[in-house]
Amino acid sequence: MSDAPLGFSSRALHVGQDPDPTTGSVVTPIYQTSTYKQDGIGNLRGGYEYSRSANPTRTALEVLIASLEGGIRGYAFASGLAGQDTLLRAAVAPGDHVVIPTDAYGGTFRLFDKVLQPWGLEYDIAPIADVDAVRAAVRPGRTKILWVETPTNPLLGIADIEALAGVAHEAGAILVVDNTFASPYLQQPLALGADVVTHSATKYAGGHSDIVGGLVVVREDEALAERIGFHQYAVGAIAGPFDSWLVQRGLKTLALRMERHSDNAERVVEFLTGHPGVSKVHYPGLPEHPGHDVAARQMRRFGGMVSFQVRAGEDVAVKVCGETQLWTLGESLGGVESLIEHPARMTHASVAGTELEVPADLIRLSVGIEDAEDLVADLAQALDRLA
Ligand SMILES: *Cc1c(COP(=O)(O)O)cnc(C)c1O
């Protein structure tokens, strides 16, 4: 092969996945083991000693996600939040300050507010679509992390990663991007200047609603990568071998899935924007979306997440969520099957009454890879009757 760097899907299928040296197995084996035979004390085979520190199936996933995000090191965790917690404890200390988004993922907000704040980490909330507001929230010398999600959940707000990397670096902080909604196929935050990327692998990376997992990738800071690796080992919130294998398998089809999620989302958005019962559609692919130009610059396509508001209000929004057949009422997102939910009463119930509160008439869709006609028809039967 030539030395030209491989494309995204070629890497998704081959990086970290050389055929198994013992058997030639083309698929990475699930090394369902806790410990490894030593050839004399301390004489380890390939560095494997105990599966909290390293396991070959997890290593395969960690090498792969580092390649797909364009970083030096990747780490796999038991959940997205376990990865975020490990990253934060490795990157900040009590007394430090961080800036987080107004519409942060609810679990991430809870981690900052209820776990890390009592531990001594201070935070301020800023609307991350507004670069000047973020700059004003940063405290030079004290702010260690600027934390960003883009697109955000559930309102699909867009942060300008390149501009915010500048804001973070001017203040001596690092920029962390939660890339869960876009996935590395649609968006490459590290190439835009972010220092660390996190994922809930539960969502698009795994892609099949069958695991809970987390990923963290570091762009170039070896010392930070070492600290995260140490905390992963010392705290132990690791991804198990089977979960690592499932995420690796999910990533093989990430490009295909994200193209289809995006195709279907565009069809659903077209239907919703034309429906008289819908007052507003939130999708960064719409030219009138306030973050459209930034999203068009930093994303390959606009992804599979869509939110919309129902003109008739909260009660009707709640009813619509209960009246679809193909769209399953449920939390989570990013799987091959389509999901519908009411953020104010479900995923975002815990932020009611805070600055992170979401509109009560909002419905969130995770558009799956079914046939677009069927997805539209199912929404139409519910909306035509109720909205
Ligand atoms: C789900 C999610 C998380 C948390 O991940 P878990 O795997 O549920 O722990 C973090 N960020 C975003 C954007 C998410 O959607």
Side-chain angles (χ1 to χ4, degrees), residues 44-63:
L44 310 177
R45 300 186 190 178
Y48 292 103
E49 179 177 33
Y50 181 64
S51 283
R52 176 159 33 74
S53 56
N55 171 283
T57 315
R58 191 174 93 227
T59 301
L61 171 61
E62 292 178 334
V63 169

Side-chain angles (χ1 to χ4, degrees), residues 284-308:
L286 287 169
E288 63 268 28
H289 184 288
H292 175 73
D293 292 344
V294 174
R297 223 173 34 235
Q298 70 188 17
M299 296 178 77
R300 193 194 289 257
R301 295 188 66 185
F302 303 104
M305 296 304 297
V306 178
S307 292
F308 66 100

Side-chain angles (χ1 to χ4, degrees), residues 79-82 84 105 108 149 153 178 180-181 200-203 212-214 333:
S79 70
L81 287 174
Q84 295 186 350
Y105 172 73
T108 301
E149 285 173 34
N153 177 22
D178 181 335
T180 298
F181 267 42
S200 170
T202 315
K203 317 295 169 48
V212 172
L333 60 107

Side-chain angles (χ1 to χ4, degrees), residues 210-298:
D210 51 10
I211 56 111
V212 172
L215 299 165
V216 172
V217 180
V218 176
R219 175 162 53 98
E220 63 172 18
D221 184 339
E222 295 276 2
L224 176 60
E226 282 302 313
R227 282 201 302 281
I228 296 168
F230 171 75
H231 277 74
Q232 182 195 42
Y233 163 70
V235 177
I238 48 161
F242 186 43
D243 286 356
S244 297
W245 187 88
L246 282 170
V247 175
Q248 186 206 59
R249 185 167 79 160
L251 288 170
K252 293 181 193 190
T253 56
L254 183 68
L256 292 173
R257 286 187 287 110
M258 294 317 292
E259 291 288 351
R260 174 76 167 207
H261 285 298
S262 302
D263 286 344
N264 282 358
E266 284 170 14
R267 292 281 298 279
V268 165
V269 164
E270 190 186 330
F271 162 74
L272 290 172
T273 47
H275 197 283
V278 172
S279 57
K280 187 159 189 193
V281 180
H282 302 263
Y283 188 63
L286 287 169
E288 63 268 28
H289 184 288
H292 175 73
D293 292 344
V294 174
R297 223 173 34 235
Q298 70 188 17

